[in-house]
Amino acid sequence: MTIVSPATPVRLDLAERSYDIHVGAGLLARTGELARPLLKLPHLFVVADETVAGLHYDPLAASLDGAGISHHLYRVPSGEGSKSFARLEDLLSAILDTRPERSTALLALGGGVVGDLTGFAAAILLRGVPFLQIPTTLLSQVDSSVGGKTGINMKQGKNLVGSFHQPRLVLADIDLLSTLPRRELASGYAEVVKYGLIDDPDFFAWLEAHGPALLAGDAEARAAAVRHSCQAKARIVAGDEREAGNRALLNLGHTFGHALEAETGFSTALYHGESVALGSLMAFDLSVRLGLCPAADLDRVRAHFAATGLPTRLPALAGGWRVERFFEHFTHDKKVDAGRLTFILARGIGRSFVSRDVPQDILGAVLADWAAEAAR
Ligand SMILES: NC(=O)c1ccc[n+]([C@@H]2O[C@H](COP(=O)([O-])OP(=O)(O)OC[C@H]3O[C@@H](n4cnc5c(N)ncnc54)[C@H](O)[C@@H]3O)[C@@H](O)[C@H]2O)c1
């Protein structure tokens, strides 16, 4: 399989809410030129992760100045804690102080945290204003910046308050990944692998060959993988914007993964993508034990994660992992449907499907084995 990254943008087709996703090097410096035709007012309210602002705001500001776009900058403290009501209120208030109009656009510069927060602010400010995304982590370039899911966390769980609000433009500049810490990069890579596992076995094979180089800094491989991932996400979202059907496949590894994140207190013990990687392995393990998936496919996925620096076993947890705690987290999952748990299972690599009737005894046995392995 040849995976390349031509200059043409990926298009997400959603009738009047369609938009372009540009992928490549040097895009930050072209923001003004690419954004200007989409703006009614030559102004942008930039919401930036404070770490990212320190590293990358100056070239963005120069590009906006060059295109005659004035700009405000609002810095968001780095970290998941910023997806909160308190931060949302402060942000909305800061925007309102600038006397925005319905055509005032927001621009998110940062990872998934800033993208989700800014998108939600855009969805509810003046009953909806446009927003643009410049995702700066691998995870946000291949996943969160595309598709229009926005939101914040509540004490009851992650992403429980939010809305669907599509951006007008996404600029995935792969140069920005050069400042991303290695562990963040690998964590985002788990979401890249997810597209191969869902329905694209050739992409998974391509990643087996090119993933290590991509993580080591190969720009061509990065651009090709980000573009291919955005194409996959755009195709799935265009077919099912509100997750009534196939969009749920993007949650592969996430039912388990969210439980892992919740149990480790959303701490640095496990990054989001690391939880998704472990959750994907658990979903494949469950599929093998249900007689759906060849064990060799589970081994292949595990070997690829190990080769790219992703975890393949649960970290040790003070007090140990407890099966009943997993079930508690599962029942809080947004995907619970009429009381039934939803899992994405697989008949093999690239052959995932949605299941709502997983036998609880086999699920419990899988969890018990993973918990026991972590304790060894
Ligand atoms: N909306 C969706 O569809 C969707 C999909 C997947 C995940 N998410 C959400 O995305 C969030 C996770 O996103 P994330 O992994 O991007 O985390 P993040 O936004 O917290 O960024 C991770 C860290 O990397 C730093 N960083 C970002 N870009 C950098 C760069 N270029 N150089 C150096 N440091 C940089 C940030 O300061 C932060 O510390 C979660 O809240 C998750 O719920 C949303």
Side-chain angles (χ1 to χ4, degrees):
M1 178 186 206
T2 317
I3 292 183
V4 290
S5 184
T8 46
V10 175
R11 183 85 176 156
L12 203 165
D13 270 317
L14 285 170
E16 73 286 354
R17 282 168 295 108
S18 300
Y19 53 96
D20 284 339
I21 304 151
H22 293 256
V23 179
L27 290 169
L28 190 68
R30 294 182 54 210
T31 306
E33 164 209 334
L34 294 167
R36 185 66 192 90
L38 304 173
L39 303 176
K40 266 199 191 156
L41 293 172
H43 180 72
L44 276 171
F45 191 99
V46 181
V47 184
D49 178 296
E50 68 180 0
T51 307
V52 178
L55 294 164
H56 302 293
Y57 187 65
D58 289 349
L60 171 64
S63 169
L64 298 179
D65 290 340
I69 301 171
S70 61
H71 41 98
H72 267 90
L73 171 62
Y74 178 94
R75 292 169 199 265
V76 176
S78 304
E80 191 69 32
S82 284
K83 272 175 61 173
S84 67
F85 250 121
R87 179 54 54 192
L88 178 70
E89 184 182 8
D90 191 72
L91 169 60
L92 290 170
S93 179
I95 304 170
L96 288 167
D97 282 345
T98 68
R99 298 179 182 278
E101 300 178 15
R102 276 252 170 89
S103 48
T104 300
L106 312 187
L107 168 64
L109 175 72
V113 164
V114 161
D116 283 7
L117 173 73
T118 310
F120 190 38
I124 59 177
L125 179 75
L126 306 179
R127 299 205 175 85
V129 301
F131 86 113
L132 288 61
Q133 291 256 26
I134 302 187
T136 63
T137 59
L138 184 56
L139 180 138
S140 56
Q141 294 194 348
V142 300
D143 193 356
S144 62
S145 65
V146 174
K149 279 192 184 175
T150 74
I152 55 171
N153 305 326
M154 299 291 289
K155 72 173 189 311
Q156 289 82 355
K158 268 188 72 164
N159 301 324
L160 291 181
V161 172
S163 114
F164 286 95
H165 188 56
Q166 298 293 342
R168 298 286 168 96
L169 178 72
V170 179
L171 302 180
D173 184 340
I174 56 135
D175 289 343
L176 303 180
L177 302 179
S178 61
T179 54
L180 196 62
R182 177 64 169 76
R183 190 175 164 199
E184 290 286 358
L185 198 67
S187 171
Y189 181 75
E191 304 277 11
V192 177
V193 177
K194 185 181 75 178
Y195 295 109
L197 298 180
I198 290 175
D199 64 357
D200 196 345
D202 290 347
F203 186 46
F204 182 81
W206 185 89
L207 290 169
E208 286 180 311
H210 299 275
L214 180 168
L215 288 163
D218 181 328
E220 233 172 86
R222 282 184 181 182
V226 172
R227 185 183 162 87
H228 196 81
S229 302
C230 288
Q231 271 171 333
K233 179 131 189 203
R235 176 173 40 80
I236 292 171
V237 172
D240 176 26
E241 186 182 8
R242 300 244 160 179
E243 203 168 300
N246 264 359
R247 186 167 180 169
L249 294 174
L250 294 168
N251 296 321
L252 174 64
H254 284 63
T255 303
F256 289 109
H258 278 159
L260 299 177
E261 280 182 286
E263 206 50 18
T264 47
F266 299 97
S267 70
T268 51
L270 276 180
Y271 285 7
H272 177 70
E274 293 172 340
S275 304
V276 169
L278 288 166
S280 301
L281 288 176
M282 294 168 93
F284 266 74
D285 189 2
L286 178 58
S287 304
V288 170
R289 295 203 209 187
L290 291 169
L292 296 165
C293 174
D297 282 23
L298 167 62
D299 294 342
R300 221 176 127 193
V301 181
R302 191 187 283 118
H304 185 53
F305 286 161
T308 49
L310 283 163
T312 55
R313 55 186 289 171
L314 302 186
L317 187 70
W321 295 90
R322 300 213 320 269
V323 172
E324 63 277 16
R325 295 280 300 161
F326 274 98
F327 278 100
E328 275 170 40
H329 293 303
F330 292 160
T331 54
H332 286 130
D333 195 90
K334 282 198 297 307
K335 297 178 289 302
V336 171
D337 181 15
R340 290 180 306 167
L341 304 180
T342 304
F343 286 91
I344 311 305
L345 300 181
R347 296 195 172 84
I349 290 170
R351 299 180 61 206
S352 297
F353 64 98
V354 179
S355 170
R356 294 209 169 77
D357 44 23
V358 168
Q360 307 257 316
D361 53 339
I362 298 184
L363 175 58
V366 168
L367 296 169
D369 285 353
W370 279 79
E373 193 198 17
R376 277 202 286 273

